[in-house]
Amino acid sequence: MNKFSITQYLLILTVLVFGFIYALPNLFPTQPSIQVAYTDSGKSADQVLLNDLNKLLSTNQVEYEDISIRDNKIVIKFPNLEAQLASKTILQKALLDKVIVALNLEPTTPTWLKDIGGKPVKLGLDLSGGVHFLLEVDIETAQQGRLELLLDNYRKTFKEDRLKITSSSINDLKLNFKFNDRESYNKALSKYRLDSPGVNGLQYIITERPSSNTLSLEYSDVALREIRDYAVGQNLTTLRNRVNELGVSEPIVQRQGSNRIVVQLPGVQDPTAAKKIIGKTANLEFRLEANSRTSPLRKEEFNFKENDYSTAFLEKAVVVSGDRVTNASTGFDESGLSQVNITLDMQGGRAMQKATSGNIGRRLAVLFVEQKNKSELVINKNGNKVIEQTSYIEKNIISLATIQAVLGTSFRITGVGSPQEASELALLLRAGALAAPMKFVEERTVGPSLGKENIELGMRSIMIGLALVVIFMTFYYRIFGLAANISLLINLVLITGIMSLLGATLTLPGIAGIVLTVGMAVDANVLIFARIREELKEKDPQTAIKDGFSRAFITIFDANITTLIAALILYVIGTGPVKGFAITLSIGILTSMFTAIICTRAMVNLIYGNKNIKELKI
């Protein structure tokens, strides 16, 4: 009676070894480092850049331990945080837009642990920091884009209705049409009023100038609010999708104010990759190449992305933009060159079909639209040199191919550069297009938001709580209490190991979840021991132990399942710190049930199993 089989003990031992191995990386401290990569994503870090960095650090007498090329970037390790921060400032001022310089904490986990997937628990922004972005949505550009589409639609409508237009343009975010005669003017005015009915639903503010047969149209406050909310909402969704593509645990992507978005990536291991993806506001525009019949006012000249000296004239009208892309994947064409396979939604497919059906033989261009930052050293009011950034929109042609058949919802674009650039473009399109460009108001790698003292207090709360529980259980339940204490320590190791394996991020609320788990784990053992005491009044010790564990199991299971359901709900509907609490609580519930019921009983069985016990002290 009260004896586990060899198989059961081997199973328990396997779980414990598994937990200890994957918790082991947390004993190795991280090392301050800097990751440097070329701003151009198609260019990998090379020996030339490494030599330049080495020279800059040596000239400025900065102490570092190691510098090497790894995964298309250069990693520099430092003995302390002061050297790390000083080096970042030096490199940014010297190299400006040539490279991306990002702070990082390099893990020192042994190679054999890395090879089996061992890695330390990621710490959230409130514990170890991470990448922080504050972005501002350019509402005026979104408004300008809407007006350009509206201008093109009205031109087509007025042409179909045979209205005589003298000129049309967009100035100061206003749509202006001048007509040849009063009849055309009145018909256009009726069309405007029909498109903007009522007062509450007013879309446009119409300025009438009958003396010159001119109409001006601008968006109303209601419409501007709708444009702003749509642009910010779409960009929020897009950024969340991009973060998910990066595989970052517990990211924070949320709106701040009317037109700003905060992005926080806690515990990020490769901030250079994050900046390349999150920082890019890339989009696509499909436009027809201008021909001899195209008015000079309706065409623009663009450079090719791979050749700044080669240009082409394209129509201003956009056939389809990247926000109509529903899927994008990479592949290779017949010549073995990289390509991106595009799938559009129904509306985008119809627009593409309409534009290409009457233009077979003409060339269709794919414009890569990207907002970039330009950095320069300026002298501030205090006479110090600081880096000042200005943003600008860059549009380059990445493909200009002849339309050989009517295109629909699925097609491919070639000439996208290297496989890495094709993969990056596909990721951006797959994650969704931005409804409006964004500029960086703030971009930094942040330290602990609550300070080192609060982190130490959080860890101290676990140790004090654990120590008090250990003392109480040992003196009150004796040998049984000792078994419970060992199970409690095993529980903490298993939580750490599972979180490390899953790549979960530990936050300060997560520490609170661990503290709560410590109490819940002991609570399960207290229920078992209390039940054994009750059984001892009527039964012999061996039977009391057996019935105590088996009958307390139902109560423990019910209590933990209801708590687990609550934790899962918190994880689903919560964000950021709430998710951190829910994760540690959920893992803790599962591990505490294993340790309190199985591990404790295994130890009790080893001590009392199959023995003739006349008296049981508990």
Side-chain angles (χ1 to χ4, degrees):
M1 186 180 288
N2 294 322
K3 186 178 181 180
F4 279 171
S5 65
I6 297 296
T7 304
Q8 289 174 305
Y9 280 117
L10 286 175
L11 180 61
I12 295 170
L13 185 61
T14 301
V15 173
L16 297 185
V17 171
F18 172 88
F20 274 95
I21 288 176
Y22 284 98
L24 195 59
N26 295 281
L27 298 178
F28 298 92
T30 55
Q31 183 175 16
S33 65
I34 282 179
Q35 295 178 349
V36 184
Y38 281 113
T39 304
D40 184 359
S41 59
K43 192 175 181 181
S44 301
D46 50 23
Q47 190 65 38
V48 175
L49 179 59
L50 188 146
N51 293 337
D52 290 342
L53 296 176
N54 204 345
K55 184 177 179 181
L56 280 169
L57 295 175
S58 300
T59 303
N60 289 275
Q61 297 181 340
V62 176
E63 183 183 0
Y64 64 93
E65 293 186 357
D66 182 60
I67 181 169
S68 60
I69 300 175
R70 189 181 71 205
D71 299 331
N72 298 326
K73 56 181 174 285
I74 292 176
V75 179
I76 311 171
K77 297 179 182 179
F78 300 91
N80 51 59
L81 290 172
E82 289 75 15
Q84 179 198 38
L85 296 174
S87 299
K88 183 185 179 184
T89 303
I90 292 167
L91 297 179
Q92 282 183 327
K93 287 184 176 180
L95 300 173
L96 294 177
D97 294 328
K98 183 181 178 182
V99 299
I100 295 173
V101 181
L103 299 176
N104 193 31
L105 291 174
E106 192 76 12
T108 58
T109 309
T111 305
W112 70 271
L113 272 176
K114 289 181 181 179
D115 292 341
I116 60 173
K119 53 189 175 182
V121 174
K122 295 178 182 178
L123 300 179
L125 281 171
D126 53 357
L127 296 181
S128 72
V131 180
H132 170 96
F133 299 107
L134 179 61
L135 304 108
E136 186 173 88
V137 181
D138 189 348
I139 304 301
E140 284 194 2
T141 301
Q143 188 180 348
Q144 180 75 20
R146 290 277 192 102
L147 284 172
E148 288 174 358
L149 290 174
L150 197 63
L151 176 65
D152 188 54
N153 288 335
Y154 273 126
R155 278 173 178 164
K156 292 178 181 177
T157 301
F158 292 157
K159 186 177 180 181
E160 291 172 357
D161 293 342
R162 298 183 178 180
L163 304 187
K164 298 176 181 178
I165 304 171
T166 303
S167 63
S168 58
S169 62
I170 298 174
N171 295 312
D172 298 327
L173 297 178
K174 292 182 180 180
L175 191 62
N176 302 301
F177 273 97
K178 186 173 182 179
F179 301 90
N180 286 1
D181 51 54
R182 182 59 59 87
E183 183 182 359
S184 297
Y185 169 87
N186 290 332
K187 287 183 178 180
L189 180 59
S190 298
K191 175 65 176 173
Y192 279 168
R193 288 172 176 170
L194 187 65
D195 289 346
S196 184
V199 177
N200 294 331
L202 185 67
Q203 290 295 306
Y204 310 131
I205 297 173
I206 305 167
T207 303
E208 305 173 29
R209 298 187 182 91
S211 59
S212 59
N213 292 330
T214 302
L215 288 172
S216 293
L217 181 148
E218 61 183 306
Y219 283 112
S220 66
D221 290 340
V222 173
L224 287 175
R225 195 181 308 117
E226 184 271 328
I227 292 171
R228 182 189 64 209
D229 291 342
Y230 171 79
V232 175
Q234 174 65 24
N235 285 11
L236 269 173
T237 301
T238 299
L239 287 174
R240 286 187 180 124
N241 289 338
R242 290 183 183 181
V243 168
N244 289 337
E245 291 276 357
L246 287 170
V248 178
S249 301
E250 296 188 53
I252 296 174
V253 182
Q254 61 189 20
R255 185 171 182 170
Q256 185 180 87
S258 61
N259 64 335
R260 289 185 172 185
I261 296 174
V262 172
V263 179
Q264 293 181 350
L265 309 177
V268 71
Q269 293 297 311
D270 192 356
T272 52
K275 285 186 177 182
K276 284 183 178 180
I277 300 302
I278 300 298
K280 280 193 175 179
T281 55
N283 201 350
L284 288 185
E285 289 180 0
F286 295 87
R287 301 194 192 189
L288 288 169
E289 184 181 25
N291 55 25
S292 57
R293 298 191 303 272
T294 306
S295 167
L297 298 176
R298 298 183 183 179
K299 64 181 181 181
E300 295 178 273
E301 186 178 14
F302 296 99
N303 293 324
F304 281 81
K305 193 173 190 294
E306 298 300 325
N307 187 353
D308 292 338
Y309 301 102
S310 181
T311 63
F313 283 93
L314 307 180
E315 291 187 355
K316 285 187 176 181
V318 178
V319 177
V320 175
S321 58
D323 57 351
R324 295 299 173 191
V325 175
T326 59
N327 193 25
S329 60
T330 57
F332 297 94
D333 61 14
E334 294 79 4
S335 302
L337 300 176
S338 299
Q339 68 179 31
V340 177
N341 304 308
I342 302 290
T343 303
L344 303 176
D345 60 14
M346 292 302 295
Q347 186 174 342
R350 284 194 295 266
M352 183 64 73
Q353 184 180 23
K354 183 178 179 181
T356 57
S357 59
N359 290 293
I360 294 176
R362 288 184 65 181
R363 295 202 292 180
L364 180 70
V366 183
L367 267 181
F368 186 72
V369 185
E370 186 177 7
Q371 180 166 327
K372 290 188 172 182
N373 293 321
K374 182 180 180 181
S375 303
E376 58 181 343
L377 281 175
V378 297
I379 300 175
N380 61 14
K381 295 179 180 179
N382 300 323
N384 299 322
K385 289 185 177 181
V386 296
I387 298 176
E388 188 176 90
Q389 285 193 340
T390 55
S391 60
Y392 63 97
I393 300 293
E394 183 175 282
K395 296 184 178 182
N396 293 304
I397 300 171
I398 59 174
S399 176
L400 185 60
T402 302
I403 302 171
Q404 298 178 346
V406 177
L407 302 179
T409 56
S410 299
F411 54 94
R412 65 179 181 173
I413 57 174
T414 56
V416 291
S418 66
Q420 182 182 349
E421 289 177 298
S423 177
E424 189 172 304
L425 175 59
L427 187 155
L428 291 169
L429 294 172
R430 191 166 60 248
L434 295 170
M438 295 185 296
K439 63 181 179 181
F440 285 94
V441 178
E442 186 178 18
E443 177 186 337
R444 57 192 169 91
T445 302
V446 297
S449 61
L450 298 180
K452 185 178 179 181
E453 183 180 355
N454 284 348
I455 300 169
E456 291 175 352
L457 288 174
M459 298 306 295
R460 194 180 302 169
S461 66
I462 295 179
M463 302 309 296
I464 292 175
L466 182 63
L468 291 175
V469 168
V470 166
I471 293 170
F472 170 78
M473 294 296 288
T474 302
F475 280 93
Y476 196 73
Y477 291 107
R478 302 181 185 181
I479 293 177
F480 282 83
L482 184 62
N485 290 335
I486 295 173
S487 294
L488 192 58
L489 293 172
I490 293 172
N491 185 37
L492 290 175
V493 172
L494 289 179
I495 292 174
T496 306
I498 292 173
M499 289 187 68
S500 297
L501 186 64
L502 296 178
T505 301
L506 181 64
T507 60
L508 206 56
I511 293 177
I514 294 175
V515 174
L516 179 60
T517 299
V518 170
M520 293 178 64
V522 173
D523 183 58
N525 281 133
V526 168
L527 286 173
I528 293 170
F529 300 159
R531 187 69 192 184
I532 293 174
R533 278 181 173 175
E534 291 295 321
E535 297 293 333
L536 280 172
K537 295 177 181 178
E538 301 177 356
K539 302 174 182 176
D540 64 274
Q542 291 289 4
T543 306
I545 292 172
K546 177 178 176 296
D547 292 346
F549 273 99
S550 60
R551 294 184 179 181
F553 172 78
I554 302 298
T555 305
I556 296 168
F557 182 80
D558 290 345
N560 281 279
I561 286 298
T562 52
T563 309
L564 182 61
I565 292 171
L568 292 175
I569 293 172
L570 280 177
Y571 180 81
V572 171
I573 66 174
T575 58
V578 177
K579 281 182 178 284
F581 176 80
I583 287 175
T584 54
L585 182 59
S586 300
I587 295 173
I589 289 169
L590 297 175
T591 56
S592 65
M593 288 183 67
F594 172 77
T595 55
I597 297 171
I598 298 178
C599 292
T600 303
R601 184 163 189 179
M603 285 182 278
V604 170
N605 286 355
L606 280 174
I607 297 170
Y608 296 108
N610 280 349
K611 292 181 180 178
N612 186 16
I613 307 170
K614 295 183 178 179
E615 183 181 2
L616 189 64
K617 295 181 179 181
I618 182 173

PDB file of all heavy atoms in Angstrom, residues 250 252 507 509-510 566-567 569-586:
ATOM      1  N   GLU A 250       4.208  39.085 -25.481  1.00  0.00           N
ATOM      2  CA  GLU A 250       3.535  40.130 -24.718  1.00  0.00           C
ATOM      3  C   GLU A 250       3.877  41.546 -25.171  1.00  0.00           C
ATOM      4  O   GLU A 250       4.305  42.386 -24.388  1.00  0.00           O
ATOM      5  CB  GLU A 250       3.849  39.986 -23.229  1.00  0.00           C
ATOM      6  CG  GLU A 250       3.328  38.704 -22.639  1.00  0.00           C
ATOM      7  CD  GLU A 250       3.477  38.669 -21.142  1.00  0.00           C
ATOM      8  OE1 GLU A 250       3.025  39.601 -20.473  1.00  0.00           O
ATOM      9  OE2 GLU A 250       4.060  37.701 -20.646  1.00  0.00           O
ATOM     10  N   ILE A 252       3.158  45.434 -26.421  1.00  0.00           N
ATOM     11  CA  ILE A 252       2.152  46.455 -26.143  1.00  0.00           C
ATOM     12  C   ILE A 252       2.075  47.362 -27.357  1.00  0.00           C
ATOM     13  O   ILE A 252       3.046  48.018 -27.725  1.00  0.00           O
ATOM     14  CB  ILE A 252       2.506  47.275 -24.884  1.00  0.00           C
ATOM     15  CG1 ILE A 252       2.501  46.368 -23.644  1.00  0.00           C
ATOM     16  CG2 ILE A 252       1.541  48.435 -24.696  1.00  0.00           C
ATOM     17  CD1 ILE A 252       2.968  47.066 -22.385  1.00  0.00           C
ATOM     18  N   THR A 507       6.966  39.814 -16.069  1.00  0.00           N
ATOM     19  CA  THR A 507       6.782  41.205 -15.679  1.00  0.00           C
ATOM     20  C   THR A 507       6.574  41.269 -14.167  1.00  0.00           C
ATOM     21  O   THR A 507       6.473  40.233 -13.500  1.00  0.00           O
ATOM     22  CB  THR A 507       5.553  41.803 -16.386  1.00  0.00           C
ATOM     23  OG1 THR A 507       4.393  41.047 -16.017  1.00  0.00           O
ATOM     24  CG2 THR A 507       5.710  41.753 -17.901  1.00  0.00           C
ATOM     25  N   PRO A 509       3.830  42.217 -12.549  1.00  0.00           N
ATOM     26  CA  PRO A 509       2.595  41.485 -12.233  1.00  0.00           C
ATOM     27  C   PRO A 509       2.779  39.973 -12.331  1.00  0.00           C
ATOM     28  O   PRO A 509       2.107  39.216 -11.629  1.00  0.00           O
ATOM     29  CB  PRO A 509       1.602  41.984 -13.284  1.00  0.00           C
ATOM     30  CG  PRO A 509       2.091  43.338 -13.650  1.00  0.00           C
ATOM     31  CD  PRO A 509       3.591  43.235 -13.591  1.00  0.00           C
ATOM     32  N   GLY A 510       3.697  39.534 -13.210  1.00  0.00           N
ATOM     33  CA  GLY A 510       3.997  38.103 -13.312  1.00  0.00           C
ATOM     34  C   GLY A 510       4.611  37.577 -12.036  1.00  0.00           C
ATOM     35  O   GLY A 510       4.335  36.446 -11.610  1.00  0.00           O
ATOM     36  N   ALA A 566     -10.372  31.380 -14.881  1.00  0.00           N
ATOM     37  CA  ALA A 566     -10.292  32.831 -14.679  1.00  0.00           C
ATOM     38  C   ALA A 566      -8.988  33.387 -15.257  1.00  0.00           C
ATOM     39  O   ALA A 566      -8.966  34.456 -15.884  1.00  0.00           O
ATOM     40  CB  ALA A 566     -10.390  33.164 -13.194  1.00  0.00           C
ATOM     41  N   ALA A 567      -7.881  32.644 -15.063  1.00  0.00           N
ATOM     42  CA  ALA A 567      -6.590  33.087 -15.595  1.00  0.00           C
ATOM     43  C   ALA A 567      -6.591  33.102 -17.126  1.00  0.00           C
ATOM     44  O   ALA A 567      -6.047  34.017 -17.745  1.00  0.00           O
ATOM     45  CB  ALA A 567      -5.475  32.171 -15.079  1.00  0.00           C
ATOM     46  N   ILE A 569      -9.208  33.532 -19.057  1.00  0.00           N
ATOM     47  CA  ILE A 569     -10.037  34.673 -19.476  1.00  0.00           C
ATOM     48  C   ILE A 569      -9.225  35.967 -19.394  1.00  0.00           C
ATOM     49  O   ILE A 569      -9.290  36.817 -20.284  1.00  0.00           O
ATOM     50  CB  ILE A 569     -11.307  34.768 -18.612  1.00  0.00           C
ATOM     51  CG1 ILE A 569     -12.224  33.563 -18.888  1.00  0.00           C
ATOM     52  CG2 ILE A 569     -12.061  36.075 -18.870  1.00  0.00           C
ATOM     53  CD1 ILE A 569     -13.419  33.464 -17.956  1.00  0.00           C
ATOM     54  N   LEU A 570      -8.450  36.113 -18.321  1.00  0.00           N
ATOM     55  CA  LEU A 570      -7.582  37.292 -18.182  1.00  0.00           C
ATOM     56  C   LEU A 570      -6.588  37.375 -19.339  1.00  0.00           C
ATOM     57  O   LEU A 570      -6.314  38.458 -19.866  1.00  0.00           O
ATOM     58  CB  LEU A 570      -6.809  37.233 -16.860  1.00  0.00           C
ATOM     59  CG  LEU A 570      -7.546  37.661 -15.598  1.00  0.00           C
ATOM     60  CD1 LEU A 570      -6.648  37.456 -14.375  1.00  0.00           C
ATOM     61  CD2 LEU A 570      -7.974  39.118 -15.679  1.00  0.00           C
ATOM     62  N   TYR A 571      -6.053  36.223 -19.731  1.00  0.00           N
ATOM     63  CA  TYR A 571      -5.075  36.205 -20.814  1.00  0.00           C
ATOM     64  C   TYR A 571      -5.714  36.596 -22.146  1.00  0.00           C
ATOM     65  O   TYR A 571      -5.124  37.335 -22.943  1.00  0.00           O
ATOM     66  CB  TYR A 571      -4.442  34.815 -20.944  1.00  0.00           C
ATOM     67  CG  TYR A 571      -3.422  34.725 -22.053  1.00  0.00           C
ATOM     68  CD1 TYR A 571      -2.125  35.178 -21.856  1.00  0.00           C
ATOM     69  CD2 TYR A 571      -3.763  34.210 -23.295  1.00  0.00           C
ATOM     70  CE1 TYR A 571      -1.184  35.113 -22.874  1.00  0.00           C
ATOM     71  CE2 TYR A 571      -2.834  34.147 -24.322  1.00  0.00           C
ATOM     72  CZ  TYR A 571      -1.548  34.591 -24.100  1.00  0.00           C
ATOM     73  OH  TYR A 571      -0.631  34.537 -25.118  1.00  0.00           O
ATOM     74  N   VAL A 572      -6.935  36.117 -22.390  1.00  0.00           N
ATOM     75  CA  VAL A 572      -7.606  36.376 -23.666  1.00  0.00           C
ATOM     76  C   VAL A 572      -8.002  37.842 -23.806  1.00  0.00           C
ATOM     77  O   VAL A 572      -7.788  38.471 -24.849  1.00  0.00           O
ATOM     78  CB  VAL A 572      -8.847  35.467 -23.827  1.00  0.00           C
ATOM     79  CG1 VAL A 572      -9.670  35.883 -25.042  1.00  0.00           C
ATOM     80  CG2 VAL A 572      -8.416  34.018 -23.958  1.00  0.00           C
ATOM     81  N   ILE A 573      -8.588  38.415 -22.757  1.00  0.00           N
ATOM     82  CA  ILE A 573      -9.114  39.781 -22.861  1.00  0.00           C
ATOM     83  C   ILE A 573      -8.130  40.839 -22.372  1.00  0.00           C
ATOM     84  O   ILE A 573      -8.313  42.025 -22.634  1.00  0.00           O
ATOM     85  CB  ILE A 573     -10.434  39.936 -22.078  1.00  0.00           C
ATOM     86  CG1 ILE A 573     -10.193  39.767 -20.561  1.00  0.00           C
ATOM     87  CG2 ILE A 573     -11.465  38.956 -22.579  1.00  0.00           C
ATOM     88  CD1 ILE A 573     -11.422  40.039 -19.722  1.00  0.00           C
ATOM     89  N   GLY A 574      -7.076  40.411 -21.662  1.00  0.00           N
ATOM     90  CA  GLY A 574      -6.128  41.374 -21.102  1.00  0.00           C
ATOM     91  C   GLY A 574      -5.035  41.736 -22.076  1.00  0.00           C
ATOM     92  O   GLY A 574      -4.885  41.158 -23.150  1.00  0.00           O
ATOM     93  N   THR A 575      -4.264  42.759 -21.715  1.00  0.00           N
ATOM     94  CA  THR A 575      -3.111  43.182 -22.509  1.00  0.00           C
ATOM     95  C   THR A 575      -1.937  43.442 -21.577  1.00  0.00           C
ATOM     96  O   THR A 575      -2.115  43.725 -20.398  1.00  0.00           O
ATOM     97  CB  THR A 575      -3.403  44.477 -23.285  1.00  0.00           C
ATOM     98  OG1 THR A 575      -3.774  45.508 -22.350  1.00  0.00           O
ATOM     99  CG2 THR A 575      -4.520  44.292 -24.292  1.00  0.00           C
ATOM    100  N   GLY A 576      -0.723  43.353 -22.147  1.00  0.00           N
ATOM    101  CA  GLY A 576       0.478  43.736 -21.422  1.00  0.00           C
ATOM    102  C   GLY A 576       0.641  43.071 -20.078  1.00  0.00           C
ATOM    103  O   GLY A 576       0.696  41.834 -19.964  1.00  0.00           O
ATOM    104  N   PRO A 577       0.699  43.868 -18.985  1.00  0.00           N
ATOM    105  CA  PRO A 577       0.939  43.337 -17.642  1.00  0.00           C
ATOM    106  C   PRO A 577      -0.101  42.316 -17.194  1.00  0.00           C
ATOM    107  O   PRO A 577       0.216  41.384 -16.475  1.00  0.00           O
ATOM    108  CB  PRO A 577       0.894  44.585 -16.751  1.00  0.00           C
ATOM    109  CG  PRO A 577       1.217  45.711 -17.659  1.00  0.00           C
ATOM    110  CD  PRO A 577       0.642  45.344 -18.987  1.00  0.00           C
ATOM    111  N   VAL A 578      -1.363  42.500 -17.623  1.00  0.00           N
ATOM    112  CA  VAL A 578      -2.422  41.557 -17.243  1.00  0.00           C
ATOM    113  C   VAL A 578      -2.125  40.178 -17.821  1.00  0.00           C
ATOM    114  O   VAL A 578      -2.302  39.155 -17.160  1.00  0.00           O
ATOM    115  CB  VAL A 578      -3.798  42.069 -17.722  1.00  0.00           C
ATOM    116  CG1 VAL A 578      -4.887  41.053 -17.400  1.00  0.00           C
ATOM    117  CG2 VAL A 578      -4.121  43.404 -17.073  1.00  0.00           C
ATOM    118  N   LYS A 579      -1.669  40.152 -19.081  1.00  0.00           N
ATOM    119  CA  LYS A 579      -1.291  38.876 -19.696  1.00  0.00           C
ATOM    120  C   LYS A 579      -0.139  38.227 -18.933  1.00  0.00           C
ATOM    121  O   LYS A 579      -0.105  37.004 -18.754  1.00  0.00           O
ATOM    122  CB  LYS A 579      -0.890  39.093 -21.162  1.00  0.00           C
ATOM    123  CG  LYS A 579      -2.051  39.242 -22.129  1.00  0.00           C
ATOM    124  CD  LYS A 579      -1.526  39.390 -23.542  1.00  0.00           C
ATOM    125  CE  LYS A 579      -2.659  39.497 -24.545  1.00  0.00           C
ATOM    126  NZ  LYS A 579      -3.307  38.216 -24.819  1.00  0.00           N
ATOM    127  N   GLY A 580       0.830  39.049 -18.489  1.00  0.00           N
ATOM    128  CA  GLY A 580       1.966  38.519 -17.734  1.00  0.00           C
ATOM    129  C   GLY A 580       1.522  37.843 -16.460  1.00  0.00           C
ATOM    130  O   GLY A 580       2.020  36.762 -16.102  1.00  0.00           O
ATOM    131  N   PHE A 581       0.571  38.467 -15.752  1.00  0.00           N
ATOM    132  CA  PHE A 581       0.021  37.868 -14.535  1.00  0.00           C
ATOM    133  C   PHE A 581      -0.702  36.569 -14.861  1.00  0.00           C
ATOM    134  O   PHE A 581      -0.545  35.553 -14.162  1.00  0.00           O
ATOM    135  CB  PHE A 581      -0.933  38.855 -13.862  1.00  0.00           C
ATOM    136  CG  PHE A 581      -1.638  38.316 -12.662  1.00  0.00           C
ATOM    137  CD1 PHE A 581      -1.007  38.247 -11.429  1.00  0.00           C
ATOM    138  CD2 PHE A 581      -2.952  37.862 -12.759  1.00  0.00           C
ATOM    139  CE1 PHE A 581      -1.662  37.743 -10.318  1.00  0.00           C
ATOM    140  CE2 PHE A 581      -3.616  37.357 -11.659  1.00  0.00           C
ATOM    141  CZ  PHE A 581      -2.963  37.292 -10.425  1.00  0.00           C
ATOM    142  N   ALA A 582      -1.504  36.586 -15.922  1.00  0.00           N
ATOM    143  CA  ALA A 582      -2.293  35.403 -16.296  1.00  0.00           C
ATOM    144  C   ALA A 582      -1.401  34.231 -16.693  1.00  0.00           C
ATOM    145  O   ALA A 582      -1.701  33.075 -16.365  1.00  0.00           O
ATOM    146  CB  ALA A 582      -3.244  35.758 -17.442  1.00  0.00           C
ATOM    147  N   ILE A 583      -0.294  34.512 -17.395  1.00  0.00           N
ATOM    148  CA  ILE A 583       0.604  33.434 -17.836  1.00  0.00           C
ATOM    149  C   ILE A 583       1.247  32.733 -16.649  1.00  0.00           C
ATOM    150  O   ILE A 583       1.220  31.498 -16.543  1.00  0.00           O
ATOM    151  CB  ILE A 583       1.679  33.996 -18.785  1.00  0.00           C
ATOM    152  CG1 ILE A 583       1.071  34.323 -20.144  1.00  0.00           C
ATOM    153  CG2 ILE A 583       2.826  33.008 -18.958  1.00  0.00           C
ATOM    154  CD1 ILE A 583       2.023  34.996 -21.099  1.00  0.00           C
ATOM    155  N   THR A 584       1.851  33.517 -15.743  1.00  0.00           N
ATOM    156  CA  THR A 584       2.517  32.891 -14.591  1.00  0.00           C
ATOM    157  C   THR A 584       1.519  32.183 -13.692  1.00  0.00           C
ATOM    158  O   THR A 584       1.819  31.119 -13.145  1.00  0.00           O
ATOM    159  CB  THR A 584       3.289  33.941 -13.774  1.00  0.00           C
ATOM    160  OG1 THR A 584       2.404  35.008 -13.408  1.00  0.00           O
ATOM    161  CG2 THR A 584       4.452  34.505 -14.564  1.00  0.00           C
ATOM    162  N   LEU A 585       0.337  32.758 -13.556  1.00  0.00           N
ATOM    163  CA  LEU A 585      -0.686  32.112 -12.729  1.00  0.00           C
ATOM    164  C   LEU A 585      -1.130  30.785 -13.343  1.00  0.00           C
ATOM    165  O   LEU A 585      -1.258  29.777 -12.637  1.00  0.00           O
ATOM    166  CB  LEU A 585      -1.885  33.046 -12.555  1.00  0.00           C
ATOM    167  CG  LEU A 585      -3.029  32.540 -11.661  1.00  0.00           C
ATOM    168  CD1 LEU A 585      -2.524  32.239 -10.260  1.00  0.00           C
ATOM    169  CD2 LEU A 585      -4.171  33.548 -11.612  1.00  0.00           C
ATOM    170  N   SER A 586      -1.346  30.768 -14.663  1.00  0.00           N
ATOM    171  CA  SER A 586      -1.784  29.533 -15.335  1.00  0.00           C
ATOM    172  C   SER A 586      -0.729  28.443 -15.236  1.00  0.00           C
ATOM    173  O   SER A 586      -1.043  27.286 -14.913  1.00  0.00           O
ATOM    174  CB  SER A 586      -2.094  29.825 -16.817  1.00  0.00           C
ATOM    175  OG  SER A 586      -3.114  30.785 -16.945  1.00  0.00           O
TER     176      SER A 586
END
